[in-house]
Amino acid sequence: MVTQQRRHDTITQNIVNLNTAGYKQTDSILRSFPEVLVSMIGGEPDNPNRTVGKLNTGVFAEESMAMYTQGDLRETGQATDFALVSELGLTDPATGRNIPFDASGKYVDDNGEIMYRPQAFFTVQDENGQVRYTRNGEFRVSPTGNLMTSTGYQVLDADNAPIVLTGAAGNFTVNEQGQIVDEAGNLTGAALGISVVDRPYELVREGSGVFSPG
């Protein structure tokens, strides 16, 4: 019952966050306890009817894993809203061919080894100065020109420095290289910091669409 309750809570969390920008659904990984062999007490050891059968001692929710499938993109009309399309490839060193990940970004080779597709994230900084990752691109500009996430995290540039838009606050675009351009078409010297995480399954979910390195 406890396991099913946890599974139900995970499903409910996914449904509630269907329209949350940058949210990644989670799946509950269930494991069973070892089976035990039930035998009759007493009787002759060589009696073929002495063994009653196997008994399953239950299951438990071992962990919840985030699924980094590509979410739907939505046009908001806001200059400070961004989205990432992360479909990065990975080459099999043994064959030199691209690894055929499934829709969930997972691949199991012939030896049973599991590999996951690398994922790209916006690089942000929490109130303690720690680097964090998010796919939620609903940004805003503070009164001091700092580019912030909707939850108050500082957005970092390609050098992991806070992005401050002194001359382009609220009136800027981003080119194909991720560089921020002011309304006059001039480069501001800042570029959105995009981090590629090779092992996304090791990230730790902190809430509000933010992940920390595992």
Side-chain angles (χ1 to χ4, degrees):
M1 290 180 65
V2 172
T3 299
Q4 293 302 322
Q5 179 63 52
R6 291 178 178 175
R7 181 172 177 270
H8 178 271
D9 292 343
T10 299
I11 296 174
T12 302
Q13 175 179 296
N14 292 332
I15 294 175
V16 169
N17 288 282
L18 277 175
N19 296 317
T20 300
Y23 176 79
K24 296 302 176 185
Q25 76 175 58
T26 58
D27 283 353
S28 292
I29 308 300
L30 306 183
R31 294 285 187 270
S32 61
F33 289 103
E35 291 183 338
V36 295
L37 191 63
V38 181
S39 301
M40 292 187 297
I41 298 176
E44 297 298 328
D46 58 349
N47 182 0
N49 298 318
R50 185 168 182 266
T51 300
V52 176
K54 295 180 179 180
L55 175 65
N56 190 305
T57 55
V59 297
F60 66 102
E62 184 178 49
E63 60 179 333
S64 294
M65 290 193 65
M67 306 298 291
Y68 295 98
T69 52
Q70 180 63 46
D72 296 329
L73 302 184
R74 177 171 58 89
E75 177 63 50
T76 66
Q78 298 291 327
T80 54
D81 284 349
F82 300 91
L84 287 176
V85 177
S86 180
E87 295 181 354
L88 303 175
L90 195 62
T91 302
D92 188 343
T95 64
R97 299 178 180 177
N98 290 332
I99 295 175
F101 294 103
D102 62 19
S104 67
K106 180 180 177 181
Y107 172 71
V108 182
D109 65 14
D110 295 336
N111 298 320
E113 182 180 353
I114 301 176
M115 289 177 280
Y116 293 89
R117 183 192 299 274
Q119 296 292 332
F121 295 85
F122 294 110
T123 312
V124 298
Q125 186 181 77
D126 65 14
E127 63 276 6
N128 297 318
Q130 301 297 316
V131 172
R132 295 292 184 261
Y133 307 115
T134 184
R135 290 294 290 271
N136 185 352
E138 290 185 335
F139 299 154
R140 60 180 177 83
V141 180
S142 72
T144 57
N146 292 71
L147 190 62
M148 312 290 293
T149 70
S150 59
T151 54
Y153 284 52
Q154 173 72 59
V155 180
L156 302 182
D157 64 13
D159 297 320
N160 279 358
I163 295 178
V164 182
L165 305 169
T166 55
N171 299 300
F172 65 89
T173 57
V174 176
N175 62 22
E176 294 179 354
Q177 289 73 42
Q179 299 169 314
I180 297 177
V181 182
D182 63 21
E183 57 184 339
N186 301 315
L187 295 176
T188 63
L192 292 176
I194 308 299
S195 296
V196 175
V197 179
D198 293 329
R199 296 180 176 85
Y201 55 88
E202 293 182 355
L203 295 176
V204 179
R205 186 186 297 265
E206 292 191 346
S208 300
V210 175
F211 298 87
S212 65

